[in-house]
Short mmCIF file of all heavy atoms in Angstrom, two decimals:
data_model
loop_
_atom_site.label_atom_id
_atom_site.label_comp_id
_atom_site.label_asym_id
_atom_site.label_seq_id
_atom_site.Cartn_x
_atom_site.Cartn_y
_atom_site.Cartn_z
N GLU A 33 -11.60 -3.55 113.37
CA GLU A 33 -12.15 -2.55 112.53
C GLU A 33 -12.25 -3.06 111.03
O GLU A 33 -13.21 -2.74 110.34
CB GLU A 33 -11.31 -1.23 112.55
CG GLU A 33 -11.45 -0.52 113.98
CD GLU A 33 -10.51 0.62 114.05
OE1 GLU A 33 -9.46 0.71 113.33
OE2 GLU A 33 -10.73 1.47 114.86
N TYR A 34 -11.26 -3.73 110.66
CA TYR A 34 -11.24 -4.35 109.31
C TYR A 34 -12.29 -5.40 109.12
O TYR A 34 -13.12 -5.47 108.22
CB TYR A 34 -9.87 -4.88 108.93
CG TYR A 34 -9.74 -5.54 107.60
CD1 TYR A 34 -9.67 -4.67 106.42
CD2 TYR A 34 -9.71 -6.91 107.50
CE1 TYR A 34 -9.51 -5.28 105.20
CE2 TYR A 34 -9.63 -7.49 106.27
CZ TYR A 34 -9.59 -6.70 105.09
OH TYR A 34 -9.53 -7.31 103.92
N LEU A 35 -12.27 -6.37 110.10
CA LEU A 35 -13.21 -7.47 109.99
C LEU A 35 -14.71 -7.15 110.01
O LEU A 35 -15.56 -7.62 109.33
CB LEU A 35 -12.98 -8.53 111.10
CG LEU A 35 -11.65 -9.29 111.03
CD1 LEU A 35 -11.47 -10.13 112.30
CD2 LEU A 35 -11.55 -10.15 109.81
N THR A 36 -15.01 -6.02 110.81
CA THR A 36 -16.35 -5.69 111.00
C THR A 36 -16.85 -4.71 109.94
O THR A 36 -17.98 -4.24 110.03
CB THR A 36 -16.62 -5.05 112.35
OG1 THR A 36 -15.66 -4.00 112.57
CG2 THR A 36 -16.36 -6.08 113.56
N LYS A 37 -16.03 -4.48 108.95
CA LYS A 37 -16.53 -3.72 107.80
C LYS A 37 -17.57 -4.60 107.03
O LYS A 37 -18.42 -4.04 106.35
CB LYS A 37 -15.38 -3.37 106.90
CG LYS A 37 -14.44 -2.20 107.32
CD LYS A 37 -13.38 -1.96 106.37
CE LYS A 37 -12.47 -0.84 106.84
NZ LYS A 37 -11.28 -0.58 105.86
N ARG A 38 -17.49 -5.84 107.18
CA ARG A 38 -18.34 -6.79 106.61
C ARG A 38 -19.46 -7.14 107.61
O ARG A 38 -19.08 -7.80 108.66
CB ARG A 38 -17.70 -8.07 106.02
CG ARG A 38 -16.67 -7.79 104.95
CD ARG A 38 -15.98 -9.02 104.48
NE ARG A 38 -16.96 -9.87 103.77
CZ ARG A 38 -16.95 -10.01 102.48
NH1 ARG A 38 -16.07 -9.32 101.66
NH2 ARG A 38 -17.81 -10.80 101.85
N GLU A 39 -20.59 -6.81 107.41
CA GLU A 39 -21.75 -6.97 108.33
C GLU A 39 -22.04 -8.43 108.73
O GLU A 39 -22.57 -8.71 109.81
CB GLU A 39 -23.00 -6.27 107.98
CG GLU A 39 -23.60 -6.75 106.68
CD GLU A 39 -24.81 -5.99 106.30
OE1 GLU A 39 -25.05 -4.85 106.83
OE2 GLU A 39 -25.70 -6.54 105.53
N GLU A 40 -21.59 -9.32 107.87
CA GLU A 40 -21.82 -10.72 108.20
C GLU A 40 -20.85 -11.32 109.13
O GLU A 40 -20.97 -12.48 109.56
CB GLU A 40 -21.90 -11.56 106.91
CG GLU A 40 -20.56 -11.68 106.15
CD GLU A 40 -20.30 -10.62 105.16
OE1 GLU A 40 -20.83 -9.55 105.32
OE2 GLU A 40 -19.62 -10.94 104.15
N ASN A 41 -19.78 -10.63 109.50
CA ASN A 41 -18.75 -11.14 110.38
C ASN A 41 -19.13 -10.82 111.84
O ASN A 41 -19.33 -9.68 112.20
CB ASN A 41 -17.37 -10.50 110.07
CG ASN A 41 -16.76 -11.02 108.79
OD1 ASN A 41 -17.12 -12.07 108.34
ND2 ASN A 41 -15.80 -10.27 108.23
N TYR A 42 -19.16 -11.86 112.57
CA TYR A 42 -19.39 -11.82 114.01
C TYR A 42 -18.12 -12.30 114.73
O TYR A 42 -17.74 -13.45 114.56
CB TYR A 42 -20.59 -12.56 114.44
CG TYR A 42 -21.93 -11.91 114.08
CD1 TYR A 42 -22.37 -11.98 112.68
CD2 TYR A 42 -22.66 -11.15 114.92
CE1 TYR A 42 -23.56 -11.35 112.33
CE2 TYR A 42 -23.75 -10.50 114.59
CZ TYR A 42 -24.25 -10.56 113.27
OH TYR A 42 -25.33 -9.92 112.84
N ILE A 43 -17.54 -11.55 115.62
CA ILE A 43 -16.29 -11.84 116.24
C ILE A 43 -16.50 -12.09 117.72
O ILE A 43 -17.10 -11.28 118.43
CB ILE A 43 -15.22 -10.78 116.06
CG1 ILE A 43 -14.89 -10.66 114.54
CG2 ILE A 43 -13.97 -11.08 116.79
CD1 ILE A 43 -15.65 -9.64 113.69
N THR A 44 -15.96 -13.23 118.29
CA THR A 44 -15.77 -13.40 119.65
C THR A 44 -14.32 -13.26 120.03
O THR A 44 -13.45 -13.98 119.50
CB THR A 44 -16.27 -14.79 120.06
OG1 THR A 44 -17.68 -15.03 119.73
CG2 THR A 44 -16.10 -15.03 121.62
N MET A 45 -14.01 -12.33 120.90
CA MET A 45 -12.66 -12.04 121.28
C MET A 45 -12.37 -12.74 122.58
O MET A 45 -12.96 -12.48 123.65
CB MET A 45 -12.37 -10.55 121.46
CG MET A 45 -11.01 -10.13 121.65
SD MET A 45 -10.83 -8.38 122.12
CE MET A 45 -12.25 -7.63 121.44
N ALA A 46 -11.42 -13.69 122.58
CA ALA A 46 -11.08 -14.54 123.72
C ALA A 46 -9.80 -13.96 124.35
O ALA A 46 -8.77 -13.89 123.66
CB ALA A 46 -10.91 -15.94 123.40
N THR A 47 -9.83 -13.47 125.54
CA THR A 47 -8.68 -12.80 126.12
C THR A 47 -8.55 -13.23 127.68
O THR A 47 -9.55 -13.52 128.28
CB THR A 47 -8.86 -11.29 126.05
OG1 THR A 47 -7.80 -10.56 126.79
CG2 THR A 47 -10.20 -10.83 126.60
N ASN A 48 -7.29 -13.22 128.13
CA ASN A 48 -7.08 -13.37 129.51
C ASN A 48 -7.15 -12.13 130.36
O ASN A 48 -7.07 -12.14 131.57
CB ASN A 48 -5.72 -14.04 129.77
CG ASN A 48 -4.54 -13.13 129.45
OD1 ASN A 48 -4.65 -12.25 128.54
ND2 ASN A 48 -3.42 -13.25 130.07
N ILE A 49 -7.38 -11.00 129.63
CA ILE A 49 -7.56 -9.76 130.33
C ILE A 49 -9.00 -9.22 129.91
O ILE A 49 -9.07 -8.35 128.97
CB ILE A 49 -6.55 -8.73 130.04
CG1 ILE A 49 -5.15 -9.27 130.32
CG2 ILE A 49 -6.64 -7.48 130.89
CD1 ILE A 49 -3.96 -8.41 129.94
N LEU A 50 -10.01 -9.62 130.53
CA LEU A 50 -11.40 -9.37 130.06
C LEU A 50 -11.73 -7.89 129.89
O LEU A 50 -12.38 -7.48 128.94
CB LEU A 50 -12.47 -10.05 130.96
CG LEU A 50 -13.84 -10.00 130.53
CD1 LEU A 50 -14.02 -10.59 129.14
CD2 LEU A 50 -14.81 -10.74 131.52
N PRO A 51 -11.35 -7.00 130.95
CA PRO A 51 -11.70 -5.64 130.82
C PRO A 51 -11.10 -5.03 129.58
O PRO A 51 -11.75 -4.16 128.90
CB PRO A 51 -11.02 -5.02 132.09
CG PRO A 51 -11.00 -6.09 133.04
CD PRO A 51 -10.72 -7.36 132.24
N ASP A 52 -9.90 -5.43 129.15
CA ASP A 52 -9.31 -4.86 127.94
C ASP A 52 -10.13 -5.30 126.73
O ASP A 52 -10.40 -4.55 125.81
CB ASP A 52 -7.86 -5.35 127.79
CG ASP A 52 -6.90 -4.67 128.74
OD1 ASP A 52 -7.32 -3.74 129.52
OD2 ASP A 52 -5.67 -5.03 128.72
N GLY A 53 -10.52 -6.54 126.69
CA GLY A 53 -11.34 -7.08 125.62
C GLY A 53 -12.71 -6.40 125.55
O GLY A 53 -13.16 -6.05 124.43
N GLN A 54 -13.31 -6.16 126.65
CA GLN A 54 -14.63 -5.47 126.65
C GLN A 54 -14.52 -4.02 126.15
O GLN A 54 -15.42 -3.59 125.45
CB GLN A 54 -15.11 -5.54 128.06
CG GLN A 54 -15.57 -6.89 128.52
CD GLN A 54 -15.95 -6.93 129.99
OE1 GLN A 54 -15.40 -6.25 130.83
NE2 GLN A 54 -16.89 -7.87 130.32
N LYS A 55 -13.38 -3.34 126.47
CA LYS A 55 -13.22 -1.96 126.03
C LYS A 55 -13.05 -1.96 124.44
O LYS A 55 -13.57 -1.14 123.75
CB LYS A 55 -11.93 -1.32 126.60
CG LYS A 55 -12.15 -1.02 128.12
CD LYS A 55 -10.92 -0.45 128.66
CE LYS A 55 -11.01 -0.17 130.17
NZ LYS A 55 -9.69 0.33 130.82
N LEU A 56 -12.30 -2.93 123.97
CA LEU A 56 -12.14 -3.10 122.47
C LEU A 56 -13.48 -3.37 121.86
O LEU A 56 -13.82 -2.83 120.74
CB LEU A 56 -11.09 -4.06 122.15
CG LEU A 56 -9.54 -3.73 122.50
CD1 LEU A 56 -8.74 -4.92 122.39
CD2 LEU A 56 -9.14 -2.65 121.57
N ALA A 57 -14.13 -4.34 122.35
CA ALA A 57 -15.42 -4.86 121.81
C ALA A 57 -16.43 -3.75 121.70
O ALA A 57 -17.29 -3.66 120.75
CB ALA A 57 -15.98 -5.91 122.64
N ALA A 58 -16.39 -2.79 122.62
CA ALA A 58 -17.44 -1.63 122.62
C ALA A 58 -17.09 -0.65 121.46
O ALA A 58 -17.95 0.21 121.30
CB ALA A 58 -17.24 -0.95 124.06
N LYS A 59 -15.92 -0.65 120.89
CA LYS A 59 -15.58 0.23 119.88
C LYS A 59 -16.00 -0.09 118.48
O LYS A 59 -15.93 0.58 117.52
CB LYS A 59 -14.07 0.50 119.87
CG LYS A 59 -13.55 1.16 121.17
CD LYS A 59 -12.03 1.32 121.12
CE LYS A 59 -11.54 2.02 122.35
NZ LYS A 59 -10.13 2.25 122.43
N VAL A 60 -16.40 -1.37 118.34
CA VAL A 60 -16.85 -1.88 117.07
C VAL A 60 -18.15 -2.71 117.13
O VAL A 60 -18.61 -3.06 118.22
CB VAL A 60 -15.75 -2.84 116.42
CG1 VAL A 60 -14.52 -2.01 116.08
CG2 VAL A 60 -15.37 -4.00 117.34
N ARG A 61 -18.79 -3.07 116.03
CA ARG A 61 -20.00 -3.75 116.00
C ARG A 61 -19.75 -5.24 115.93
O ARG A 61 -18.63 -5.74 115.66
CB ARG A 61 -20.89 -3.35 114.82
CG ARG A 61 -20.31 -3.68 113.48
CD ARG A 61 -21.20 -3.27 112.33
NE ARG A 61 -20.58 -3.60 111.09
CZ ARG A 61 -21.25 -3.37 109.89
NH1 ARG A 61 -22.50 -2.85 109.87
NH2 ARG A 61 -20.73 -3.66 108.80
N ASN A 62 -20.76 -6.01 116.27
CA ASN A 62 -20.75 -7.55 116.04
C ASN A 62 -19.61 -8.18 116.82
O ASN A 62 -19.04 -9.25 116.42
CB ASN A 62 -20.61 -7.86 114.58
CG ASN A 62 -21.78 -7.37 113.80
OD1 ASN A 62 -22.81 -6.87 114.33
ND2 ASN A 62 -21.71 -7.53 112.46
N THR A 63 -19.20 -7.56 117.93
CA THR A 63 -18.10 -8.14 118.65
C THR A 63 -18.35 -8.24 120.15
O THR A 63 -18.80 -7.40 120.75
CB THR A 63 -16.81 -7.24 118.45
OG1 THR A 63 -16.51 -7.12 117.12
CG2 THR A 63 -15.59 -7.81 119.14
N THR A 64 -18.00 -9.50 120.70
CA THR A 64 -18.12 -9.68 122.17
C THR A 64 -16.85 -10.16 122.73
O THR A 64 -16.03 -10.81 121.89
CB THR A 64 -19.31 -10.66 122.46
OG1 THR A 64 -18.94 -11.93 121.79
CG2 THR A 64 -20.63 -10.22 122.06
N ALA A 65 -16.59 -9.94 123.96
CA ALA A 65 -15.34 -10.46 124.58
C ALA A 65 -15.67 -11.48 125.67
O ALA A 65 -16.67 -11.34 126.46
CB ALA A 65 -14.55 -9.29 125.21
N VAL A 66 -14.83 -12.52 125.71
CA VAL A 66 -15.03 -13.50 126.71
C VAL A 66 -13.60 -13.81 127.29
O VAL A 66 -12.65 -13.61 126.70
CB VAL A 66 -15.54 -14.83 126.22
CG1 VAL A 66 -16.91 -14.65 125.61
CG2 VAL A 66 -14.62 -15.43 125.15
N GLU A 67 -13.62 -14.21 128.65
CA GLU A 67 -12.40 -14.52 129.28
C GLU A 67 -11.93 -16.01 128.83
O GLU A 67 -12.76 -16.92 128.79
CB GLU A 67 -12.51 -14.43 130.73
CG GLU A 67 -11.18 -14.50 131.49
CD GLU A 67 -11.39 -14.09 132.97
OE1 GLU A 67 -12.52 -13.98 133.46
OE2 GLU A 67 -10.31 -13.75 133.65
N ALA A 68 -10.61 -16.17 128.71
CA ALA A 68 -10.15 -17.43 128.25
C ALA A 68 -8.76 -17.72 128.68
O ALA A 68 -7.90 -16.73 128.83
CB ALA A 68 -10.16 -17.50 126.70
N ASP A 69 -8.42 -18.98 128.83
CA ASP A 69 -7.09 -19.38 129.26
C ASP A 69 -6.67 -20.47 128.06
O ASP A 69 -7.17 -21.56 128.07
CB ASP A 69 -7.12 -20.11 130.54
CG ASP A 69 -5.71 -20.71 130.97
OD1 ASP A 69 -4.83 -20.53 130.21
OD2 ASP A 69 -5.75 -21.40 132.04
N VAL A 70 -5.71 -20.04 127.28
CA VAL A 70 -5.28 -20.84 126.14
C VAL A 70 -4.54 -22.13 126.52
O VAL A 70 -4.30 -23.00 125.70
CB VAL A 70 -4.54 -20.11 125.02
CG1 VAL A 70 -5.36 -18.97 124.54
CG2 VAL A 70 -3.17 -19.61 125.63
N THR A 71 -4.22 -22.26 127.78
CA THR A 71 -3.55 -23.43 128.25
C THR A 71 -4.59 -24.44 128.81
O THR A 71 -4.23 -25.56 129.11
CB THR A 71 -2.60 -23.14 129.46
OG1 THR A 71 -3.26 -22.64 130.61
CG2 THR A 71 -1.51 -22.09 129.03
N ASN A 72 -5.87 -24.12 128.78
CA ASN A 72 -6.87 -24.98 129.25
C ASN A 72 -7.49 -25.70 127.94
O ASN A 72 -8.25 -25.01 127.25
CB ASN A 72 -7.88 -24.28 130.01
CG ASN A 72 -8.97 -25.15 130.59
OD1 ASN A 72 -9.41 -26.09 129.97
ND2 ASN A 72 -9.50 -24.79 131.76
N VAL A 73 -7.15 -26.91 127.71
CA VAL A 73 -7.56 -27.58 126.50
C VAL A 73 -9.10 -27.75 126.37
O VAL A 73 -9.67 -27.54 125.30
CB VAL A 73 -6.87 -28.94 126.38
CG1 VAL A 73 -7.36 -29.65 125.12
CG2 VAL A 73 -5.37 -28.77 126.30
N ASP A 74 -9.72 -28.07 127.45
CA ASP A 74 -11.21 -28.16 127.50
C ASP A 74 -11.84 -26.81 127.11
O ASP A 74 -12.81 -26.89 126.36
CB ASP A 74 -11.66 -28.66 128.81
CG ASP A 74 -11.29 -30.11 129.05
OD1 ASP A 74 -11.11 -30.88 128.09
OD2 ASP A 74 -11.16 -30.46 130.25
N MET A 75 -11.27 -25.75 127.62
CA MET A 75 -11.91 -24.41 127.28
C MET A 75 -11.65 -24.14 125.83
O MET A 75 -12.53 -23.51 125.14
CB MET A 75 -11.17 -23.38 128.22
CG MET A 75 -11.70 -22.01 127.98
SD MET A 75 -10.98 -20.66 129.07
CE MET A 75 -11.72 -21.21 130.65
N LEU A 76 -10.50 -24.44 125.29
CA LEU A 76 -10.16 -24.29 123.88
C LEU A 76 -11.15 -24.97 123.02
O LEU A 76 -11.67 -24.38 122.04
CB LEU A 76 -8.72 -24.69 123.56
CG LEU A 76 -7.64 -23.81 124.04
CD1 LEU A 76 -6.27 -24.43 123.68
CD2 LEU A 76 -7.75 -22.38 123.43
N ARG A 77 -11.45 -26.14 123.39
CA ARG A 77 -12.41 -27.03 122.59
C ARG A 77 -13.77 -26.33 122.56
O ARG A 77 -14.44 -26.25 121.50
CB ARG A 77 -12.50 -28.40 123.09
CG ARG A 77 -11.26 -29.27 122.87
CD ARG A 77 -11.54 -30.76 123.12
NE ARG A 77 -10.38 -31.59 122.91
CZ ARG A 77 -9.65 -32.09 123.87
NH1 ARG A 77 -9.96 -31.82 125.16
NH2 ARG A 77 -8.57 -32.82 123.65
N ASP A 78 -14.21 -25.91 123.71
CA ASP A 78 -15.54 -25.28 123.82
C ASP A 78 -15.62 -24.01 123.02
O ASP A 78 -16.60 -23.71 122.36
CB ASP A 78 -15.81 -24.96 125.31
CG ASP A 78 -16.14 -26.26 126.08
OD1 ASP A 78 -16.43 -27.20 125.47
OD2 ASP A 78 -16.07 -26.16 127.37
N LEU A 79 -14.49 -23.21 122.99
CA LEU A 79 -14.42 -21.94 122.25
C LEU A 79 -14.33 -22.14 120.81
O LEU A 79 -15.01 -21.39 119.93
CB LEU A 79 -13.27 -21.11 122.76
CG LEU A 79 -13.42 -20.39 124.11
CD1 LEU A 79 -12.07 -19.92 124.57
CD2 LEU A 79 -14.44 -19.31 124.04
N ILE A 80 -13.59 -23.14 120.40
CA ILE A 80 -13.23 -23.28 118.92
C ILE A 80 -14.27 -24.12 118.15
O ILE A 80 -14.55 -23.85 116.93
CB ILE A 80 -11.85 -23.94 118.77
CG1 ILE A 80 -10.78 -22.94 119.25
CG2 ILE A 80 -11.59 -24.34 117.28
CD1 ILE A 80 -9.38 -23.56 119.28
N LYS A 81 -14.97 -24.96 118.82
CA LYS A 81 -15.95 -25.87 118.16
C LYS A 81 -17.01 -25.03 117.43
O LYS A 81 -17.66 -24.07 117.98
CB LYS A 81 -16.60 -26.76 119.15
CG LYS A 81 -17.50 -27.88 118.55
CD LYS A 81 -18.07 -28.80 119.55
CE LYS A 81 -18.93 -29.86 118.96
NZ LYS A 81 -19.48 -30.80 120.00
N GLY A 82 -17.22 -25.34 116.13
CA GLY A 82 -18.28 -24.73 115.37
C GLY A 82 -17.93 -23.38 114.82
O GLY A 82 -18.69 -22.73 114.06
N ARG A 83 -16.71 -22.88 114.98
CA ARG A 83 -16.29 -21.54 114.34
C ARG A 83 -15.99 -21.70 112.86
O ARG A 83 -15.54 -22.87 112.35
CB ARG A 83 -15.03 -21.02 115.07
CG ARG A 83 -15.16 -20.90 116.63
CD ARG A 83 -16.08 -19.79 117.00
NE ARG A 83 -16.23 -19.71 118.48
CZ ARG A 83 -16.96 -18.79 119.10
NH1 ARG A 83 -17.53 -17.83 118.42
NH2 ARG A 83 -16.98 -18.79 120.44
N ASP A 84 -16.12 -20.67 112.13
CA ASP A 84 -15.70 -20.64 110.75
C ASP A 84 -14.24 -20.39 110.58
O ASP A 84 -13.64 -20.79 109.64
CB ASP A 84 -16.48 -19.58 109.96
CG ASP A 84 -17.94 -19.91 109.89
OD1 ASP A 84 -18.31 -20.97 109.32
OD2 ASP A 84 -18.82 -19.16 110.44
N LEU A 85 -13.66 -19.64 111.53
CA LEU A 85 -12.25 -19.25 111.49
C LEU A 85 -11.70 -18.93 112.85
O LEU A 85 -12.47 -18.29 113.63
CB LEU A 85 -12.11 -18.06 110.54
CG LEU A 85 -10.71 -17.45 110.39
CD1 LEU A 85 -9.75 -18.46 109.65
CD2 LEU A 85 -10.69 -16.11 109.66
N VAL A 86 -10.49 -19.32 113.09
CA VAL A 86 -9.85 -18.79 114.32
C VAL A 86 -8.63 -17.98 113.95
O VAL A 86 -7.86 -18.29 113.08
CB VAL A 86 -9.32 -19.99 115.22
CG1 VAL A 86 -8.39 -19.58 116.33
CG2 VAL A 86 -10.55 -20.72 115.79
N ILE A 87 -8.45 -16.73 114.62
CA ILE A 87 -7.29 -15.93 114.45
C ILE A 87 -6.58 -15.85 115.73
O ILE A 87 -7.26 -15.54 116.80
CB ILE A 87 -7.68 -14.50 113.92
CG1 ILE A 87 -8.51 -14.60 112.69
CG2 ILE A 87 -6.46 -13.67 113.78
CD1 ILE A 87 -9.09 -13.30 112.17
N SER A 88 -5.30 -16.13 115.79
CA SER A 88 -4.50 -16.11 116.99
C SER A 88 -3.56 -14.86 117.02
O SER A 88 -2.61 -14.83 116.22
CB SER A 88 -3.68 -17.43 117.13
OG SER A 88 -3.05 -17.38 118.41
#
Side-chain angles (χ1 to χ4, degrees):
E33 291 173 339
Y34 177 78
L35 291 174
T36 53
K37 287 180 180 179
R38 299 180 68 104
E39 63 181 18
E40 68 268 27
N41 288 341
Y42 286 79
I43 295 92
T44 300
M45 188 189 336
T47 172
N48 66 329
I49 308 175
L50 187 56
D52 286 358
Q54 290 171 330
K55 289 177 183 177
L56 289 169
K59 295 180 180 181
V60 293
R61 65 179 178 177
N62 297 352
T63 303
T64 57
V66 297
E67 192 166 13
D69 175 5
V70 298
T71 64
N72 185 324
V73 177
D74 290 334
M75 181 178 289
L76 284 179
R77 290 193 181 105
D78 289 341
L79 285 168
I80 293 173
K81 186 176 181 180
R83 305 288 179 175
D84 294 297
L85 176 68
V86 169
I87 303 174
S88 182

